Amino acid sequence: MHLTKRAIDAARYRDNGQSRQVLWDDDPRGLGLRVYPTNNKSFVLSYRTEGKKRLLVLGGYGALTLDQARKLAKEKLVDVIKGGDPVQERRQEKLGSTFRELAELYLKRHAYKHKKRSSAREDERAIKVELLPKWGDLSVVGIRRRDVIALLDAIVDRGTPVMANRVSALIHKMFAFAISRDIVDANPCSQIPRSPEQSRDRVLDDKEVRALWKAFEAEGPILEGLFKLRLLTLQRGAELAQMVWDEIDGDWWTIPAERTKKQLGKALSHRVPLSPQAQKVFENLRQYRHASGLVFPSQRNPDQYITSLGRAVRRVRKASEVSDFRPHDMRRTGATRLTGMGFARLVVAKILNHAESGVTHVYDRHSYDDEKRQALDAWGRYVQNIVAGKPGL
């Protein structure tokens, strides 16, 4: 047939037991449109060299137009006439591609182009910390399922199964991207089971909160402020770490929608009332204000926010003697204490910016600002009392 844009747009996979279906063009002969079971489409070129039949993927439909595919196919056929073998040349190119190069391409062409900026930055951090030290210089086509399993097992063995699952999902996405770019032919992360995750229910007691607060003060002003505000505001670590000074207006902090966790598929801005105790922490931080506008700039690169607290957490554990401390414990502790003080679960959920479901989520547009302020002011006083060696209530 003679391929047209209309025919390509209308083409759909027909379940006849074949995983690949191709519509062949008559100009040039050998050019085809491959339709996958997902109805994704790519241009291919069939040719013979030294008596062997080859099939070269030219690129996905969308990345290539029909005219571009025809032009590229003719160029490749000229190479074949001259004795070349585009498939073999592609294989040699793949063997030379390192995982580091794939990571750079994934971040540039997919993560920062199609994901929320905060999610893309999380991908970049995980690649830099977890993947590049192990795989950076490896040939991307040489990475096998056993390599993935070994890397994930090492992460689980250090006591972080949740991180292992996050890294597994990231590797899967990166290789799916590589397949779409015809860099690899298979995903080494497929059919690898998730590590079991236990829901952590650790709630800090008053003595532990007092010891942790003192340990925070040995971390220097920036990290001290970051730890203390996680305890006083009860907000997510990533949302707090990326804060800029312009988000603070008096005794309110507004987290923009692009940095909040989605609720039922939609991200919304989130207003956080600042208790007097939280405001005092901010007042101390202002003297260290950086030109980048970040409240918590990295010491190594002040134009970037702090992305990892691993070393600081280990120091805090040692200094406080709270050996199993994790920063998220503070959010859980505050929520538990607030409900114990008599504040409604709905108000606590509003403070934590937890997702709601059902009709109530659609129709309830009350901001709960007053209720949130009363609760966080009470929590600030509770923490202040504990630190001073008094009963929390």
Side-chain angles (χ1 to χ4, degrees):
M1 65 181 297
H2 185 74
L3 286 178
T4 63
K5 184 178 184 304
R6 179 178 292 181
I8 293 173
D9 290 338
R12 292 291 182 272
Y13 177 81
R14 295 182 179 178
D15 190 1
N16 58 6
Q18 297 179 345
S19 61
R20 300 171 178 176
Q21 297 174 2
V22 181
L23 303 177
W24 296 105
D25 192 25
D26 60 4
D27 181 27
R29 293 182 64 83
L31 174 65
L33 178 80
R34 186 161 68 184
V35 184
Y36 298 88
T38 59
N39 282 318
N40 289 336
K41 303 160 190 174
S42 61
F43 291 107
V44 296
L45 178 65
S46 177
Y47 65 93
R48 285 185 176 274
T49 180
E50 297 180 353
K52 297 179 181 178
K53 189 174 181 179
R54 304 284 202 195
L55 189 70
L56 175 70
V57 178
L58 299 175
Y61 175 56
L64 286 178
T65 66
L66 176 57
D67 289 341
Q68 290 170 334
R70 281 182 170 139
K71 181 180 178 182
L72 183 57
K74 290 174 182 177
E75 292 172 355
K76 297 296 182 183
L77 288 173
V78 170
D79 290 341
V80 172
I81 292 171
K82 293 180 179 179
D85 187 348
V87 167
Q88 188 61 28
E89 292 166 7
R90 178 76 59 82
R91 286 173 181 166
Q92 292 301 318
E93 290 175 2
K94 288 181 181 180
L95 289 172
S97 298
T98 65
F99 183 80
R100 190 181 310 277
E101 292 169 336
L102 169 62
E104 292 172 355
L105 189 63
Y106 166 81
L107 290 171
K108 179 180 179 181
R109 297 296 184 188
H110 179 78
Y112 277 105
K113 192 172 181 180
H114 299 292
K115 302 181 74 172
K116 286 174 56 177
R117 188 166 185 81
S118 59
S119 297
R121 284 178 171 174
E122 286 299 312
D123 282 359
E124 184 175 14
R125 190 201 69 79
I127 288 169
K128 186 181 297 183
V129 174
E130 306 288 354
L131 300 179
L132 291 184
K134 299 287 186 182
W135 293 351
D137 297 323
L138 294 183
S139 168
V140 69
V141 297
I143 296 173
R144 296 288 184 261
R145 184 176 287 110
R146 60 178 175 269
D147 301 309
V148 178
I149 293 171
L151 184 143
L152 297 177
D153 283 349
I155 298 175
V156 171
D157 290 344
R158 71 180 193 229
T160 52
V162 175
M163 176 56 71
N165 288 333
R166 302 298 179 270
V167 171
S168 177
L170 174 59
I171 297 170
H172 195 284
K173 282 185 287 188
M174 292 178 69
F175 274 92
F177 169 79
I179 290 172
S180 73
R181 292 266 170 164
D182 199 35
I183 298 172
V184 297
D185 298 318
N187 194 324
C189 209
S190 62
Q191 298 182 341
I192 293 181
R194 288 170 56 88
S195 298
E197 298 181 12
Q198 279 192 325
S199 178
R200 185 172 166 88
D201 57 4
R202 178 78 156 87
V203 175
L204 302 165
D205 61 33
D206 292 357
K207 183 180 178 181
E208 289 172 326
V209 171
R210 187 181 306 118
L212 287 166
W213 189 273
K214 183 178 180 181
F216 296 159
E217 293 175 343
E219 286 299 310
I222 303 298
L223 285 173
E224 174 191 351
L226 182 54
F227 278 120
K228 286 184 175 180
L229 286 169
R230 283 192 71 166
L231 178 62
L232 291 167
T233 67
L234 305 182
Q235 300 308 300
R236 297 182 178 92
E239 294 169 352
L240 190 65
Q242 297 172 53
M243 178 195 291
V244 295
W245 286 105
D246 288 346
E247 294 169 5
I248 301 173
D249 183 11
D251 55 359
W252 285 98
W253 167 34
T254 301
I255 308 174
E258 59 267 20
R259 286 221 321 276
T260 61
K261 192 171 183 178
K262 287 184 178 180
Q263 298 195 27
L264 299 181
K266 184 178 181 180
L268 302 171
S269 62
H270 177 47
R271 279 166 55 85
V272 182
L274 302 176
S275 65
Q277 292 75 21
Q279 293 178 60
K280 185 176 179 180
V281 177
F282 278 115
E283 288 171 10
N284 183 57
L285 285 168
R286 285 187 187 278
Q287 60 186 303
Y288 304 100
R289 186 165 181 166
H290 189 266
S292 65
L294 292 167
V295 179
F296 304 105
S298 167
Q299 186 176 6
R300 290 186 177 181
N301 182 3
D303 290 325
Q304 294 232 348
Y305 62 88
I306 295 172
T307 57
S308 177
L309 290 174
R311 292 181 181 178
V313 168
R314 287 192 288 272
R315 292 193 299 268
V316 166
R317 286 172 180 165
K318 185 176 181 180
S320 66
E321 298 183 350
V322 184
S323 60
D324 62 345
F325 164 68
R326 296 181 190 176
H328 195 77
D329 293 343
M330 296 187 285
R331 181 170 158 95
R332 188 184 308 106
T333 298
T336 302
R337 293 285 180 264
L338 284 173
T339 54
M341 293 159 65
F343 289 97
R345 290 183 180 275
L346 176 59
V347 174
V348 176
K350 292 291 184 180
I351 291 171
L352 301 177
N353 199 24
H354 278 170
E356 299 175 61
S357 60
V359 175
T360 302
H361 171 75
V362 176
Y363 288 101
D364 185 0
R365 289 293 180 256
H366 179 50
S367 66
Y368 290 86
D369 282 353
D370 291 341
E371 293 89 339
K372 289 191 296 184
R373 179 170 296 285
Q374 291 171 13
L376 282 177
D377 281 355
W379 172 239
R381 291 191 298 272
Y382 188 105
V383 173
Q384 186 178 45
N385 288 339
I386 291 173
V387 172
K390 303 174 184 177
L393 294 174

